[in-house]
Amino acid sequence: MSITISGDGTITGISSGGLNDGIITDDELNLSANASNIKTALNASGTAPIYACRAWVNFNGTGTVAIRASGNVTGITDNGTGDYTVNFATAMPDVDYAVTGTAMRNSTYASDANPVVVALKSNTTYSDNATTSSFSITTHWSADASNQDPIAVCVAFFR
Amino acid sequence: MNRIIFPKTDGGVSVFVPSPDCDLTIEQMAQQVVPESTPYKIVDESEIPSDRTFRDAWVWSDND
């Protein structure tokens, strides 16, 4: 049917309603995270799939503990020296996410021979420290594992 | 900015630090992070000691 505009401004030939489900696929709309145009925009070459960061936080663990910036994080809980819990704003789908982290030592410690390590808090079980709503970490010396408060703690979660 | 403080099961104190990037209210955050049936207080960050030398010796008190 052709679309007609009459002299009084009436438009005919247009029906209401949408397309049936499945007529246009995600690939055709390029809505897939791994569609070629999305990968190009992200400078992701090759065919390996893309998995997104689901939450992240950068905070100062010294003095007045404060968050510099974050994504999908309500806040962190300071449980003690080098003992923190990252709380997610929107829950993870399960507890099988992967975590990566780094920390910068307090500048009052001059030696580079004893870096700070970010680790899953390990005094209890995995399920006690990794839930869909939060994840607990410790930051400690690599040499003796004693907990330390770093001036920067950066943690990211992937799933 | 405010902080949420609540007791740990071992007698110590947890201090919740809200993210500046989160739109929830401090009360909504408390509902999420404070364990059920655990008392808590919302305080100004200036009330939390910045000297963390004896951080692990901090204890919860019901007194204001």
Side-chain angles (χ1 to χ4, degrees):
Chain A
M1 178 183 289
S2 61
I3 298 173
T4 303
I5 303 176
S6 63
D8 63 359
T10 303
I11 301 174
T12 57
I14 298 175
S15 61
S16 61
L19 298 173
N20 293 330
D21 290 345
I23 287 181
I24 299 177
T25 67
D26 281 354
D27 281 345
E28 289 169 330
L29 287 173
N30 287 326
L31 294 178
S32 165
N34 294 298
S36 60
N37 61 337
I38 300 295
K39 284 189 170 180
T40 299
L42 295 174
N43 296 316
S45 61
T47 57
I50 298 170
Y51 293 96
C53 175
R54 309 300 290 272
W56 60 273
V57 63
N58 175 341
F59 66 91
N60 181 353
T62 65
T64 300
V65 176
I67 293 175
R68 296 185 177 89
S70 70
N72 191 29
V73 166
T74 56
I76 58 111
T77 307
D78 158 28
N79 302 304
T81 303
D83 183 341
Y84 312 98
T85 301
V86 180
N87 303 281
F88 306 129
T90 299
M92 294 292 175
D94 54 41
V95 300
D96 296 335
Y97 47 81
V99 187
T100 183
T102 187
M104 182 178 180
R105 183 179 40 216
N106 188 320
S107 58
T108 58
Y109 299 96
S111 172
D112 288 331
N114 197 5
V116 172
V117 175
V118 178
L120 169 64
K121 190 174 177 180
S122 59
N123 59 331
T124 51
T125 64
Y126 181 79
S127 60
D128 286 334
N129 297 307
T131 74
T132 57
S133 58
S134 67
F135 187 85
S136 295
I137 62 170
T138 60
T139 53
H140 57 78
W141 289 144
S142 58
D144 63 6
S146 63
N147 281 12
Q148 301 294 328
D149 290 327
I151 61 172
V153 182
C154 303
V155 190
F157 302 83
F158 294 85
R159 182 69 175 96
Chain B
M1 183 173 274
N2 287 330
R3 300 286 188 264
I4 302 167
I5 58 175
F6 54 96
K8 296 166 55 179
T9 54
D10 65 3
V13 180
S14 287
V15 180
F16 176 79
V17 180
S19 170
D21 300 314
C22 184
D23 293 333
L24 296 179
T25 66
I26 195 75
E27 288 80 12
Q28 290 172 321
M29 292 178 180
Q31 295 302 311
Q32 283 195 5
V33 302
V34 179
E36 193 172 345
S37 302
T38 301
Y40 68 88
K41 297 175 185 174
I42 297 172
V43 301
D44 189 84
E45 68 178 31
S46 62
E47 297 184 54
I48 307 296
S50 58
D51 183 349
R52 296 174 58 84
T53 306
F54 299 103
R55 171 63 183 86
D56 294 333
W58 296 0
V59 295
W60 173 263
S61 171
D62 287 323
N63 300 323
D64 289 333

